Amino acid sequence: MSILILADHDDGQLAPATLNTVTAATQIGGDIHILVAGDSGGEVAKSAAAIAGVSKVLTADDAALAHGIAENVAPLMQSMASSYTHLMAPATTTGKNIMPRVAALLDVMQVSDIIKVESADSFQRPIYAGNAIATVTSNEAIKVVTVRSTAFEAAAAEGGSAAIESASGSADVGLSNYVKSELSSSERPELTSAPIVISGGRGMQDGANFAMLEKVADKLGAAVGASRAAVDAGFVPNDYQVGQTGKVVAPDLYVAVGISGAIQHLAGMKDSKVIVAINKDEEAPIFQVADFGLVADLFDAVPELETTLG
Amino acid sequence: MKVLVPVKRVIDYNVKVRVKADNTGVELANVKMAMNPFDEIAVEEALRLKESGGADEVVAVSIGPTQNQETIRTALAMGADRGIHIEAPHEIEPLAVAKLLKEVVAREEPGLVFVGKQAIDDDCNQTGQMLAALLGWAQGTFVSGIEIKGDSAAVIREVDGGLEHLEIRMPAVVTVDLRLNEPRYASLPNIMKAKKKPLDSMSAADLGVDIAPRLTITRVEEPPAREAGIKVCDVAELVDKLKNEAKVI
Ligand SMILES: Cc1cc2nc3c(=O)[nH]c(=O)nc-3n(C[C@H](O)[C@H](O)[C@H](O)COP(=O)(O)OP(=O)(O)OC[C@H]3O[C@@H](n4cnc5c(N)ncnc54)[C@H](O)[C@@H]3O)c2cc1C
Ligand SMILES: Cc1cc2nc3c(=O)[nH]c(=O)nc-3n(C[C@H](O)[C@H](O)[C@H](O)COP(=O)(O)OP(=O)(O)OC[C@H]3O[C@@H](n4cnc5c(N)ncnc54)[C@H](O)[C@@H]3O)c2cc1C
């Protein structure tokens, strides 16, 4: 077995989800290599080489590979594929963008968003917003797999000493140009890897009220998330959305404030270890998955929570 | 310019699916079906493009059993001009769907294909990217804004860190995200009119595509259920439980 993992990074830093993908690869077994495609001047490759369990890091440094442009990265990965039994990536927006393109170039079916490795060719993945779990076996010679990071522990970021080699980069195919990013900057932990997440829904009424949640988040070292309704209403940016079609989180503690608990929202948080719901409607479905439910007006309960936390 | 919109028939998003007792799949008999919500957004965007003069025809295509014609009729009732139905089993994989769509693209020569970013049943999130790869076209995925500028399109993508702006060459495949638009409802007169709009039907074999599955689903099961929790009386009790019982803060 030999596995090539596409590193997720922003040309400056390795995304933590890469570490969870390494763990999934370790469970499959065999030699694990990481491909760093981008324009990062070697910094990301150094971090990748330090991950425990990785034996080789391949770097392709080229301006055309910056920002994970799928049209340019996919042919590069295709050209390397014949040496591997598995091509893997985290199921982040980068992995989801690039990997199906690689799979189609290789004429293989991808297995998306796995949550468990059963064997080298058999995986579990959620379907129907996590209301069913399918065990899928791939008969393809090369298995293309994306990994749900919350379902696997992170591999140790230090301790490895993989060799770094350069891979011949592919040229710009001239289909897509990066223009700019509008990234939400925050001092708080990243949503998908934060140990505590506090999310607000439509019940928050407007964006300014999210300041109440931020104050609690700062006391707990938590990340702030939201329901789709809160994002659609413009209270918070799109990258806050937790759910089937947003981000999947599984923190030690998830606090849902003014969120009703639609299946699409539950799909993104129901694997959290402890769930707290604050909602004024005691019939709200969120209480069916909450370990601790508080029936209360959030405009009373949240400020009180902040003061009680001291 | 012609716009092609693949539309998928899925279990309605309000239905809570149940796993079959023999663990071979989920219960689809007598379950309410609907157009994949992302595909409604794709149809809407194509219609807006036509209404603003940016496109002259909107063609909806669906791949699956005969009942998928209902989904095409929904697209026609929203305002699409004509439909193409490709007869295939319900459980067709994204790679096979992409190969069939490639053949449709070869015949129809659209300037844009709008697909949903994911289907809410299998949540694969693959079809659009695969189609773009097979065609050698540019892809704009998870798109919440699009502006056509001659032979290129400016797209805004919803990514993990926020938003990303790309300029992609046309023709292109664009996979649409939730906040691109709010799809219209079909009015009763339009539903009636849709019944008379042209709808071609063909089989996968007619298009010469091998759709044999590459993956086998060996088992489908319920996820582990969460045990029901308790209600706390006030914030003080909540904080006490989190500190001393759950030990998470
Ligand atoms: C294709 C598709 C994809 C989707 N993807 C997602 C997704 O990824 N993530 C997601 O979250 N949703 C998603 N949804 C939307 C989902 O179906 C729900 O509409 C959404 O989650 C509802 O958000 P909400 O709970 O904030 O709002 P609501 O359902 O309106 O609930 C608001 C809650 O706030 C409570 N409340 C109001 N005021 C107060 C107060 N003062 N104090 C306390 N409680 C109060 C109310 O009792 C209510 O329970 C998707 C839907 C579709 C069709
Ligand atoms: C219970 C269960 C059992 C299954 N059993 C099998 C099995 O035995 N064998 C097997 O091979 N597969 C099986 N599958 C796999 C499954 O049917 C396919 O993988 C799936 O239909 C395609 O993935 P997707 O729709 O999530 O693609 P996505 O890539 O998420 O779809 C994105 C977009 O592509 C377009 N699109 C996708 N499909 C169509 C379509 N049919 N027509 C028009 N446009 C479309 C739409 O615009 C859609 O929004 C099973 C799935 C389930 C849930």
Side-chain angles (χ1 to χ4, degrees), chain A residues 200-205 226-232 235 241-247 254 257-268 278-287 294-301, chain B residues 13-14 36-38 41 117-118 120 178-179:
Chain A
R202 201 193 315 263
M204 297 302 296
Q205 287 179 10
S227 71
R228 174 190 171 184
V231 177
D232 283 3
F235 301 172
Q241 184 179 317
V242 171
Q244 179 188 12
T245 59
K247 284 181 182 158
Y254 187 87
V257 181
I259 292 179
S260 61
I263 18 183
Q264 292 84 9
H265 188 78
L266 301 185
I278 301 176
N279 196 304
K280 68 176 179 190
D281 172 12
E282 63 176 316
E283 302 291 321
I286 189 77
F287 287 123
L294 177 61
V295 180
D297 191 307
L298 71 91
F299 294 98
D300 300 327
Chain B
Y13 81 96
N14 282 311
N36 181 32
F38 286 95
I41 297 169
K117 89 159 172 183
Q118 76 194 59
I120 58 160
L178 294 170
R179 282 165 280 275

Side-chain angles (χ1 to χ4, degrees), chain A residues 156-180:
Chain A
E158 303 291 337
S161 55
I164 302 180
E165 290 176 15
S166 61
S168 50
S170 65
D172 185 0
V173 297
L175 290 173
S176 179
N177 283 318
Y178 171 82
V179 180
K180 63 172 181 185

Side-chain angles (χ1 to χ4, degrees), chain A residues 109 125 127-128 134, chain B residues 5-10 24-26 28 36 38-39 42 61-64 68 89-94 97 101 114-129 211-217 220:
Chain A
M109 231 332 264
R125 59 178 303 265
I127 53 176
Y128 293 99
Chain B
V5 188
V7 291
K8 188 178 181 187
R9 185 168 175 269
V10 299
T24 56
V26 304
L28 288 175
N36 181 32
F38 286 95
D39 300 351
V61 48
S62 192
I63 299 163
N68 281 40
H90 179 74
E91 297 84 8
I92 184 166
E93 292 173 349
V97 170
L101 291 174
F114 279 133
V115 300
K117 89 159 172 183
Q118 76 194 59
I120 58 160
D121 47 1
D122 299 305
D123 290 331
C124 280
N125 198 326
Q126 300 178 1
T127 308
Q129 296 89 313
I211 58 167
R214 308 289 189 83
L215 307 179
T216 324
I217 299 202
V220 175

Side-chain angles (χ1 to χ4, degrees), chain A residues 208-221:
Chain A
N209 291 332
F210 266 75
M212 293 194 306
L213 299 187
E214 285 162 6
K215 283 189 196 148
V216 175
D218 290 341
K219 290 208 166 151
L220 294 171

Side-chain angles (χ1 to χ4, degrees), chain A:
Chain A
M1 230 84 65
S2 51
I3 302 172
L4 182 65
I5 295 173
L6 178 68
D8 190 341
H9 63 89
D10 61 1
D11 297 304
Q13 275 185 321
L14 192 68
T18 311
L19 301 173
N20 310 82
T21 306
V22 170
T23 300
T26 313
Q27 293 176 6
I28 293 170
D31 237 9
I32 300 172
H33 298 177
I34 293 189
L35 169 63
V36 179
D39 194 12
S40 62
E43 278 311 305
V44 179
K46 274 184 215 149
S47 318
I51 304 174
V54 175
S55 62
K56 197 196 282 183
V57 172
L58 295 150
T59 61
D61 243 22
D62 190 310
L65 299 170
H67 308 293
I69 295 287
E71 293 85 342
N72 297 341
V73 177
L76 170 69
M77 226 180 165
Q78 178 197 14
S79 71
M80 304 169 72
S82 61
S83 322
Y84 296 95
T85 54
H86 295 73
L87 304 181
M88 300 175 75
T92 52
T93 46
T94 308
K96 287 179 190 170
N97 186 34
I98 297 172
M99 295 307 272
R101 194 161 178 120
V102 176
L105 293 176
L106 294 167
D107 191 25
V108 307
M109 231 332 264
Q110 168 177 305
V111 182
S112 297
D113 214 13
I114 63 161
I115 55 169
K116 193 170 173 210
V117 173
E118 298 255 302
S119 70
D121 59 5
S122 190
F123 311 93
Q124 285 192 0
R125 59 178 303 265
I127 53 176
Y128 293 99
N131 285 304
I133 308 293
T135 304
V136 182
T137 304
S138 167
N139 309 315
E140 306 280 13
I142 300 175
K143 279 126 194 114
V144 177
V145 176
T146 63
V147 176
R148 178 174 289 198
S149 59
T150 54
F152 298 88
E153 297 287 323
E158 303 291 337
S161 55
I164 302 180
E165 290 176 15
S166 61
S168 50
S170 65
D172 185 0
V173 297
L175 290 173
S176 179
N177 283 318
Y178 171 82
V179 180
K180 63 172 181 185
S181 297
E182 295 169 59
L183 302 182
S184 328
S185 61
S186 165
E187 302 288 294
R188 290 184 200 90
E190 199 265 323
L191 191 53
T192 56
S193 51
I196 301 179
V197 173
I198 177 161
S199 289
R202 201 193 315 263
M204 297 302 296
Q205 287 179 10
D206 67 41
N209 291 332
F210 266 75
M212 293 194 306
L213 299 187
E214 285 162 6
K215 283 189 196 148
V216 175
D218 290 341
K219 290 208 166 151
L220 294 171
V224 179
S227 71
R228 174 190 171 184
V231 177
D232 283 3
F235 301 172
V236 286
N238 65 284
D239 50 292
Y240 280 50
Q241 184 179 317
V242 171
Q244 179 188 12
T245 59
K247 284 181 182 158
V248 177
V249 302
D252 295 333
L253 173 62
Y254 187 87
V255 185
V257 181
I259 292 179
S260 61
I263 18 183
Q264 292 84 9
H265 188 78
L266 301 185
M269 44 64 80
K270 71 178 159 60
D271 292 327
S272 305
K273 286 201 189 74
V274 175
I275 297 175
V276 168
I278 301 176
N279 196 304
K280 68 176 179 190
D281 172 12
E282 63 176 316
E283 302 291 321
I286 189 77
F287 287 123
Q288 291 164 19
V289 300
D291 299 283
F292 303 109
L294 177 61
V295 180
D297 191 307
L298 71 91
F299 294 98
D300 300 327
V302 177
E304 198 185 330
L305 179 60
E306 196 221 323
T307 31
T308 313
L309 289 171

